[in-house]
Amino acid sequence: MDSLHPLLQRAHRYPRQEVDLSPPGCQYDDMVGAWRVIETSQLWVETPSRKGPRTKKEDIETGEDQKGE
């Protein structure tokens, strides 16, 4: 049985695009698990000049809208 599932047969395939998603001027610190600004070694999330989330998916979940609380 080499046949694919019908959804996989009809699915449109897009070419993979290599996009650099790292914040400009930052380097990832594996020990801390966060991005650091290269010039100042300050954590990127604590930098006041950084831009906030651009989409709802990038928002930080605060739990305010969770059901049952």
Side-chain angles (χ1 to χ4, degrees), residues 1 3 5 10 12-13 15-18 24 26 32 42 46 48 51 58 61 64 66 69:
M1 288 239 133
S3 63
H5 188 278
R10 292 174 179 82
H12 182 73
R13 294 185 175 102
R16 183 180 182 123
Q17 297 178 356
E18 296 297 328
C26 294
V32 178
Q42 183 180 14
E46 297 174 350
K51 294 181 181 177
E58 295 176 14
E61 183 61 50
E64 296 172 353
Q66 292 180 352
E69 291 187 5

Side-chain angles (χ1 to χ4, degrees), residues 4-60:
L4 291 174
H5 188 278
L7 291 176
L8 293 176
Q9 289 175 349
R10 292 174 179 82
H12 182 73
R13 294 185 175 102
Y14 294 93
R16 183 180 182 123
Q17 297 178 356
E18 296 297 328
V19 179
D20 184 17
L21 298 176
S22 62
C26 294
Q27 182 177 15
Y28 192 75
D29 186 343
D30 289 322
M31 295 295 291
V32 178
W35 291 97
R36 287 194 181 273
V37 179
I38 295 172
E39 293 178 356
T40 62
S41 296
Q42 183 180 14
L43 290 177
W44 181 70
V45 295
E46 297 174 350
T47 306
S49 62
R50 78 173 176 97
K51 294 181 181 177
R54 292 177 285 182
T55 66
K56 178 67 177 162
K57 287 184 176 182
E58 295 176 14
D59 287 349
I60 296 173

